[in-house]
Amino acid sequence: EESVSCGSCVLKTHTLRYTKFLHLLPVAALNEACASLGEDDETKTSRAIRVVDARDCKSCDLDAGGCGRVQPLTHTVVRANGTPETFCVALTWETANADAATVRETVANVDETVSLCVAFGESSARKKTASEISSEVSPSSSRESYALKCVLCYYGEHYCAFATADARCVRDGEEEAGKRRLWTLFDDATTKPVGAWEDVQTSCEKGRLQPCVLFYQKMRGDERDES
């Protein structure tokens, strides 16, 4: 749902509900937002989404009794049965031949987890029961946190994908500390283990692979314990 929540007359106007399967995020805007945020933490991508979305503005609707002042649009996830199981982000590039430095900056700004609470604020869903309200936890809880599971990349008029498996990340026969997941590259008939997320980032930079779609999945209880 998008709307204008006016900070001057405290009126909510221009409310529009719609369904979309991909959240568009321009790469240039993502990198600019992350640079302006400064602090590098696990909510960087989520906060950048919120900053970029807030750049869209509309006037407080005069026809609905508003004051006419220009205000940023507010975006909220609305579902009758809670938050979605998956959250997909489409990264839009200004060029199909980005340089290695831009690819490096972009993949560094892609977090392995995102929070819909941070990105869009509290979800406006169905009316909560008393038991649900009493059992609510913080915005970083699993019902709003999503783990990156697959990254679709583009290079030279060709697509490839990195995806996580259930296996642990292993180097030289020993499981790495931190219980990080193993990522695998799928490139036509080629399937190759890559390593941890940092190895995926390095592969993207070296091959100038431009991430174009990020597939996040709602985290389960065991994944929360490991994060």
Side-chain angles (χ1 to χ4, degrees), residues 91-221:
L91 298 178
T92 57
W93 294 75
E94 295 179 346
T95 175
N97 297 289
D99 56 51
T102 304
V103 173
R104 178 175 64 250
E105 180 183 13
T106 303
V107 294
N109 289 329
V110 174
D111 292 332
E112 287 189 86
T113 60
V114 295
S115 167
L116 295 192
C117 272
V118 175
F120 302 105
E122 290 291 345
S123 300
S124 296
R126 57 182 171 77
K127 186 175 181 180
K128 300 172 185 175
T129 64
S131 61
E132 287 175 322
I133 294 174
S134 63
S135 63
E136 276 191 346
V137 289
S138 67
S140 60
S141 66
S142 64
R143 66 187 178 87
E144 302 291 354
S145 297
Y146 291 71
L148 185 61
K149 294 295 185 179
C150 182
V151 179
L152 182 65
C153 297
Y154 172 88
Y155 72 97
E157 299 183 358
H158 182 76
Y159 288 91
C160 65
F162 295 93
T164 57
D166 292 333
R168 302 300 184 188
C169 183
V170 177
R171 292 181 188 273
D172 300 325
E174 295 185 2
E175 184 176 309
E176 281 197 346
K179 298 182 179 179
R180 291 184 292 180
R181 297 291 183 180
L182 173 69
W183 286 81
T184 302
L185 170 65
F186 296 88
D187 189 354
D188 286 341
T190 303
T191 303
K192 181 176 67 175
V194 177
W197 173 239
E198 292 82 359
D199 300 306
V200 174
Q201 293 174 313
T202 299
S203 296
C204 288
E205 178 188 351
K206 288 182 177 180
R208 292 170 58 190
L209 308 180
Q210 299 174 227
C212 52
V213 185
L214 312 176
F215 297 87
Y216 289 91
Q217 185 177 43
K218 186 181 290 187
M219 295 176 69
R220 303 186 306 271

